[in-house]
Amino acid sequence: MQATFTRNIKKTLSELSLFADLAPEQLGELIAATRCIVFQKDQPIYRAGDPVNEMYVLLSGQVTLSLSSNRGNEKVIDVLGAGQSFGEAELFASDPCIVAAVAARPSQVLGIRREGLCQVMAADPRLALRLMGVLARRQVDMETEFATRHFCSGSRRVLDFMLQLAGPNRDLVGETTVTLAVSKKVLASRFDMQPETLSRTLRDLADSGLIVVDGCRIRLRNSAVARYLDDEALPQPVNFPNLRRLPRLAGNGGARAASTLAARSQARDSRSYCDSINQAGRLRMLSQRMAKSWLMLETGLLARQSRLILRQSMDSFGGQLQALEPRANGAESAAAIAELTRLWPRYQALLDADPSQNAARDLFSINEDVLEAAQTLTLSFEKDDGTRKGRLINLAGRERMLSQRVAKFFMFRHMGIKVARCRVELDDASQEFSTALVELTSVAQDRHVILGELESVAGHWNTMQSTLAMRNGKDFAPTARKLFTTSENLLRRMEAAVDLYARLPG
């Protein structure tokens, strides 16, 4: 029995990165100082004020680390999963610990005594360095958590937690499923929220198309999450350009290095143009999406979802416009940026105002002006790029805009604003979308992932077309809700398709 236990502990410890490559004698000392403990749900591993004489490695289950006040209030500061260690700082600190560790589920834990750990560190300093690395990462995580809590929304904090659960190998497209294996109360405490606030935050993330909630299982919509993180990014750290130096170029080796640098620079320029085309095209889409959401607010339908999408779209538009300004190096792109910069404050003020019939008439005109400037900007970047890939990104990106434009004109027509023009523009946008979808499909015949996304696009587009064909005025409310929801589904699928075109070689 003891031999089996020793073999199992040896295998477990040697597979942990913290203890990898230890000499057999050091590993033996570590095994002698290790015990395996099983904790039931809600059983404390150690409490605040307890002396901690072991560091712990969680083999299975889940452990929460929490702080408690004298009044009995509890704040969860971390939720640990299998493979994570804890108690290192408490083990080497002279003061009593202030954090409690409790098994959130039945858990199997290794406890490694201080004496044995110190003996192995004295024999192999690599272990001490690794432990320092663990503590340093924990300090950085704590600082990041502090920054996130003060500078990011609750939605961002919850999303970051789910991304940690998903791990680093999450794909850029498709969906990734994670499981929230702790109670809503524990999670809410982790994010400094009430449970009802956490529920509302999850609904908001779902309404904005970032996640799908299925009980404790959450499906992350990867491409939508990537765009959200770009828009909600933390402030960038200070850059010290003097620390970045080009290699010295000399002789034939220098010529080869110069050639390599030039090739890399050209590749970066190509990616930069494609990114600019994509971002400028997103301004086109956002100009229409904001109007669509604002008009939905005027009807009082899907008000909470419409307001959330409007606010996120406005924040995204302003951020992307600012990011594109330094990239507008040509006369045409610079003029388009200047026009968008001039129009945006007025458009933003209208969107911030309470929706009304009179405000909608003003919105109609400026909305088209913003779209025209964004279209000019996108075409100027495509022209500067001059590649087939750039054209495909622009074409697919314009489909995003058209999905919102169709819904927008439907809403304007219902309000009785320029009805004849709305009818013509709606038909033109529908025809353009269908024609471009055929072209995008034809050039992706050997790209099965892209074809799969375009098949989903076609399904949502057919739903939108059949919804538009419902002309009974009494059915406006369900028609508007369905059209709004379908336009968002269509947008998500087209966003994923644009991302795939942007990842094509050359």
Side-chain angles (χ1 to χ4, degrees):
M1 182 71 70
Q2 181 62 34
T4 301
F5 173 79
T6 301
R7 282 196 302 270
N8 291 339
I9 294 295
K10 181 179 181 180
K11 182 176 185 298
T12 299
L13 290 176
S14 61
E15 289 176 351
L16 295 172
S17 58
L18 189 62
F19 305 118
D21 304 324
L22 289 178
E25 55 270 24
Q26 271 79 58
L27 191 58
E29 289 180 5
L30 206 60
I31 292 170
T34 299
R35 63 181 181 135
C36 186
I37 324 122
V38 174
F39 293 92
Q40 300 306 314
K41 181 180 178 182
D42 297 328
Q43 183 179 355
I45 299 168
Y46 55 81
R47 297 180 175 88
D50 287 351
V52 175
N53 300 313
E54 298 172 305
M55 71 162 281
Y56 300 93
V57 178
L58 180 59
L59 298 181
S60 64
Q62 203 161 49
V63 169
T64 60
L65 303 180
S66 61
L67 296 166
S68 298
S69 71
N70 293 333
R71 297 181 179 180
N73 297 326
E74 184 181 59
K75 167 70 177 79
V76 175
I77 61 174
D78 209 349
V79 180
L80 306 177
Q84 291 184 272
S85 62
F86 59 101
E88 300 95 330
E90 289 80 3
L91 180 65
F92 294 106
S94 56
D95 297 329
C97 65
I98 62 172
V99 172
V102 177
R105 290 190 291 166
S107 302
Q108 188 176 30
V109 176
L110 290 182
I112 307 172
R113 292 191 301 276
R114 180 193 290 112
E115 302 79 29
L117 203 59
C118 289
Q119 289 175 5
V120 176
M121 284 193 293
D124 191 340
R126 292 179 303 167
L127 179 56
L129 290 173
R130 289 172 184 172
L131 274 172
M132 288 173 59
V134 169
L135 294 173
R137 282 195 300 273
R138 202 156 293 162
Q139 172 71 18
V140 171
D141 288 345
M142 183 179 67
E143 292 168 354
T144 302
E145 172 70 17
F146 180 85
T148 301
R149 191 174 301 161
H150 283 76
F151 298 120
C152 292
S153 64
S155 297
R156 172 65 188 270
R157 285 150 49 203
V158 173
L159 192 60
D160 279 348
F161 177 76
M162 290 188 286
L163 290 174
Q164 290 176 15
L165 293 180
N169 297 321
R170 184 174 56 89
D171 199 357
L172 295 177
V173 295
E175 295 180 344
T176 300
T177 300
V178 299
T179 301
L180 303 180
V182 292
S183 70
K184 187 180 294 183
K185 181 180 178 181
V186 169
L187 277 180
S189 176
R190 169 71 174 76
F191 302 123
D192 282 333
M193 296 176 178
Q194 295 299 318
E196 55 270 22
T197 305
L198 175 61
S199 297
R200 187 165 59 250
T201 299
L202 290 172
R203 285 198 302 271
D204 288 345
L205 289 170
D207 288 344
S208 58
L210 298 172
I211 65 173
V212 177
V213 180
D214 182 13
C216 64
R217 293 167 63 84
I218 308 291
R219 301 204 310 272
L220 298 166
R221 288 177 160 162
N222 293 322
S223 58
V225 168
R227 288 190 303 277
Y228 176 84
L229 294 178
D230 286 342
D231 296 339
E232 293 283 313
L234 284 169
Q236 293 299 308
V238 177
N239 189 23
F240 297 95
N242 291 336
L243 297 180
R244 294 175 171 236
R245 303 188 185 278
L246 290 173
R248 181 178 297 175
L249 305 181
N252 291 335
R256 286 193 297 271
S259 175
T260 301
L261 285 174
R264 290 176 180 171
S265 176
Q266 185 176 8
R268 284 196 300 269
D269 288 344
S270 176
R271 288 195 299 271
S272 177
Y273 275 126
C274 289
D275 289 344
S276 298
I277 295 167
N278 194 0
Q279 288 190 33
R282 192 167 286 130
L283 290 180
R284 286 182 309 201
M285 176 274 293
L286 290 169
S287 72
Q288 307 300 285
R289 193 185 190 209
M290 290 184 290
K292 175 198 75 173
S293 301
W294 187 88
L295 292 168
M296 279 293 286
L297 285 176
E298 197 278 337
T299 68
L301 301 172
L302 299 177
R304 186 172 64 87
Q305 184 178 356
S306 300
R307 186 173 292 105
L308 175 67
I309 290 174
L310 174 61
R311 180 51 52 193
Q312 288 180 341
S313 298
M314 291 174 68
D315 291 344
S316 181
F317 189 97
Q320 300 227 2
L321 178 58
Q322 186 176 14
L324 283 169
E325 187 172 359
R327 301 188 190 182
N329 299 318
E332 192 173 11
S333 59
I337 283 285
E339 179 67 0
L340 283 168
T341 303
R342 183 185 70 83
L343 291 169
W344 174 232
R346 183 181 156 209
Y347 190 25
Q348 187 177 25
L350 277 171
L351 294 168
D352 278 330
D354 292 334
S356 67
Q357 190 83 4
N358 289 335
R361 292 190 179 91
D362 294 334
L363 191 77
F364 188 102
S365 176
I366 192 171
N367 169 262
E368 291 293 290
D369 293 341
V370 171
L371 174 61
E372 183 179 356
Q375 170 71 358
T376 300
L377 180 64
T378 311
L379 291 176
S380 70
F381 285 134
E382 183 196 339
K383 181 180 177 182
D384 291 339
D385 177 66
T387 66
R388 177 174 176 268
K389 177 179 175 179
R391 180 182 178 277
L392 288 173
I393 293 172
N394 180 23
L395 186 66
R398 190 166 169 84
E399 295 283 77
R400 295 180 302 200
M401 180 275 292
L402 292 170
S403 71
Q404 306 304 294
R405 188 169 176 79
V406 166
K408 179 198 77 171
F409 279 123
F410 171 84
M411 300 299 298
F412 272 127
R413 187 179 66 182
H414 167 74
M415 295 180 69
I417 296 175
K418 300 188 178 183
V419 174
R421 180 178 172 184
C422 287
R423 187 177 296 113
V424 172
E425 294 282 5
L426 202 158
D427 289 343
D428 288 347
S430 298
Q431 182 60 46
E432 183 182 351
F433 189 100
S434 297
T435 301
L437 184 57
V438 171
E439 181 178 351
L440 289 168
T441 303
S442 68
V443 300
Q445 288 303 317
D446 58 340
R447 305 280 179 175
H448 299 297
V449 177
I450 297 179
L451 284 177
E453 287 293 346
L454 294 181
E455 286 177 6
S456 296
V457 167
H460 290 304
W461 180 240
N462 290 336
T463 300
M464 178 172 275
Q465 292 297 93
S466 62
T467 303
L468 288 169
M470 299 167 62
R471 300 186 180 277
N472 188 342
K474 295 180 181 179
D475 294 332
F476 170 74
T479 301
R481 290 191 190 97
K482 187 173 183 180
L483 192 67
F484 184 92
T485 302
T486 303
S487 70
E488 288 297 308
N489 292 335
L490 185 57
L491 173 61
R492 284 193 285 272
R493 295 273 64 91
M494 274 313 309
E495 282 279 22
V498 174
D499 289 342
L500 289 170
Y501 280 110
R503 292 166 63 187
L504 288 174

